Amino acid sequence: MFIVIGIVTLLIYGLLVYYIGRSIWKWMSPGSSRLLKILYIVVLTVVSTSFISGRFFGNITVLNIIGSYWMAIFYVLIILLPLMHVSLWLLRLTSLRRHYMEKIAGYAVLVLMLALIGYGTFNAYSPTVRSYDINIAKGAGSLEQLDIVMASDMHFGLLSGKDHAERMVKEINALKPDIVLFPGDIIDDDMAAYLRQGINEILTEIQAPYGVYASLGNHDRFEGEITELISVLENSGMTVLYDETLTVGDLTLVGRRDKQDKDRAELSSIVQNADLTKPVILLDHQPNALDEAEQQGVDLVVSGHTHRGQVFPAHLITQALFENDWGYLQKGNLHSVVSSGYGFWGPPIRLGSRSEIVQIHVTFHE
């Protein structure tokens, strides 16, 4: 079944690449040079497969970068080119010259593409701070309030790199958090890029009296043992909770493995020896186990994964898949906060979403 889906997906992608390539070739009108046409086909083939081939052949940096920007161009053109062709079809009903119309429409698409990619880049690399106020109906000893700062889906690696990490640390410290939570996808499948840019050292500069805690996401992976990855992250100044609980002051923290991990434990078994009379905060990368969390007495669950679709109209898909795909939701005594993410996956743009850091002001009362 997966093979059939993969083949169909590749066929559809190939047809879309052909559509884009043919549209660009016609607009450029380069003449009938056979050599130039062959060169164009070769370049388009390499570029359009670079994101997959770059990772398949061992995370080749140049191909990964080309592939990421190609994905941004591909996405924007798949939206703009059909609109252009419909507009041209309608304009052909007028007395305007066809060749003249096609050239003008092509330049319009080029300008709009550059504008959208520029705007999407700004949304990806200029995070906003989003704040929520919640009340947890449990006492936390002498602690009456707690300021949580949460960031997810940083996807630190090639394009979400050193500068983006430094920006995050600076922003987090400016918020003066009591505790910092990272619910997954801290790296982007490439621990070497994370270490090479010194992001591990940058993250150690985060300041929070109660510490920095993380769970792992579906992209927190590499070819070695998961214990090695956890060790690298913990040397970055955070405590990784891997289907574990931890008492921090008068709080109970719980961190789950990602849902795609076949060895992920049931939440009931993870919390069976935890003190549930204290406020329970759960880090769970994918926000798809809210009912289970509510049943097990969790008070606050922080998640990411959805990116809020990252690019329009993908948010319609995440809304259909998740009860809470972004923002705040309360279910009984459970509070769910889902971030759109600090970084990005694939194309380094956001359209219809924006990178963010989340601040949660918690008040405790029995």
Side-chain angles (χ1 to χ4, degrees), residues 131-204:
S131 297
Y132 302 97
D133 297 299
I134 68 172
N135 296 303
I136 291 180
K138 287 181 181 176
S142 60
L143 190 64
E144 296 181 356
Q145 294 184 328
L146 183 72
D147 279 335
I148 300 172
V149 168
M150 183 261 280
S152 74
D153 303 275
M154 292 79 89
H155 289 272
F156 286 134
L158 289 176
L159 296 177
S160 179
K162 179 181 178 181
D163 291 344
H164 208 40
E166 290 175 342
R167 188 179 301 115
M168 186 187 77
V169 171
K170 182 179 179 180
E171 189 66 60
I172 287 176
N173 288 340
L175 293 172
K176 300 187 183 302
D178 296 318
I179 191 170
V180 174
L181 306 177
F182 293 150
D185 279 1
I186 299 160
I187 70 169
D188 194 32
D189 302 298
D190 185 4
M191 193 169 73
Y194 175 84
L195 293 171
R196 186 169 58 249
Q197 297 190 62
I199 296 173
N200 56 322
E201 297 177 2
I202 293 169
L203 297 187
T204 61

Side-chain angles (χ1 to χ4, degrees), residues 36-302:
L36 186 59
K37 191 171 186 177
I38 292 173
L39 180 61
Y40 177 75
I41 292 171
V42 170
V43 170
L44 180 62
T45 301
V46 171
V47 168
S48 62
T49 59
S50 56
F51 187 79
I52 297 171
S53 61
R55 298 194 174 209
F56 183 80
F57 292 112
N59 275 314
I60 299 175
T61 300
V62 173
L63 288 178
N64 281 331
I65 293 174
I66 292 172
S68 295
Y69 281 101
W70 159 254
M71 289 178 68
I73 293 170
F74 173 82
Y75 163 76
V76 173
L77 288 182
I78 284 301
I79 294 175
L80 293 181
L81 285 177
L83 294 176
M84 180 194 77
H85 286 125
V86 170
S87 300
L88 284 173
W89 180 81
L90 293 173
L91 286 171
R92 282 170 190 160
L93 302 177
T94 70
S95 60
L96 294 173
R97 291 170 57 189
R98 177 176 176 178
H99 182 72
Y100 174 79
M101 290 187 299
E102 288 179 348
K103 283 296 182 183
I104 293 297
Y107 282 116
V109 167
L110 178 61
V111 171
L112 283 172
M113 181 190 74
L114 294 175
L116 285 172
I117 291 178
Y119 177 65
T121 301
F122 172 81
N123 284 340
Y125 285 103
S126 302
T128 187
V129 176
R130 204 168 304 278
S131 297
Y132 302 97
D133 297 299
I134 68 172
N135 296 303
I136 291 180
K138 287 181 181 176
S142 60
L143 190 64
E144 296 181 356
Q145 294 184 328
L146 183 72
D147 279 335
I148 300 172
V149 168
M150 183 261 280
S152 74
D153 303 275
M154 292 79 89
H155 289 272
F156 286 134
L158 289 176
L159 296 177
S160 179
K162 179 181 178 181
D163 291 344
H164 208 40
E166 290 175 342
R167 188 179 301 115
M168 186 187 77
V169 171
K170 182 179 179 180
E171 189 66 60
I172 287 176
N173 288 340
L175 293 172
K176 300 187 183 302
D178 296 318
I179 191 170
V180 174
L181 306 177
F182 293 150
D185 279 1
I186 299 160
I187 70 169
D188 194 32
D189 302 298
D190 185 4
M191 193 169 73
Y194 175 84
L195 293 171
R196 186 169 58 249
Q197 297 190 62
I199 296 173
N200 56 322
E201 297 177 2
I202 293 169
L203 297 187
T204 61
E205 298 173 11
I206 294 174
Q207 300 171 6
Y210 286 92
V212 181
Y213 303 89
S215 62
L216 300 187
N218 55 303
H219 285 279
D220 291 312
R221 298 287 185 269
F222 84 118
E223 294 180 356
E225 295 294 328
I226 196 68
T227 51
E228 184 180 348
L229 173 61
I230 291 174
S231 177
V232 166
L233 292 177
E234 293 201 328
N235 287 335
S236 304
M238 65 191 78
T239 299
V240 177
L241 300 176
Y242 195 57
D243 274 355
E244 298 172 80
T245 64
L246 182 67
T247 299
V248 179
D250 288 296
L251 306 171
T252 297
L253 298 185
V254 185
R256 299 196 74 177
R257 300 188 188 195
D258 182 68
K259 185 177 183 295
Q260 293 185 14
D261 192 327
K262 59 180 174 42
D263 295 323
R264 168 169 151 130
E266 295 293 327
L267 183 59
S268 57
S269 67
I270 299 172
V271 301
Q272 63 182 348
N273 295 320
D275 186 354
L276 302 182
T277 64
K278 297 178 178 180
V280 180
I281 301 174
L282 169 65
L283 292 80
D284 195 359
H285 180 61
Q286 301 188 37
N288 50 15
L290 300 186
D291 288 333
E292 184 183 11
E294 182 187 14
Q295 292 166 7
Q296 295 303 319
V298 173
D299 299 292
L300 169 64
V301 54
V302 293

Side-chain angles (χ1 to χ4, degrees), residues 332-346:
N333 291 324
L334 174 72
H335 304 271
S336 163
V337 176
V338 180
S339 172
S340 64
Y342 181 80
F344 43 82
W345 183 85

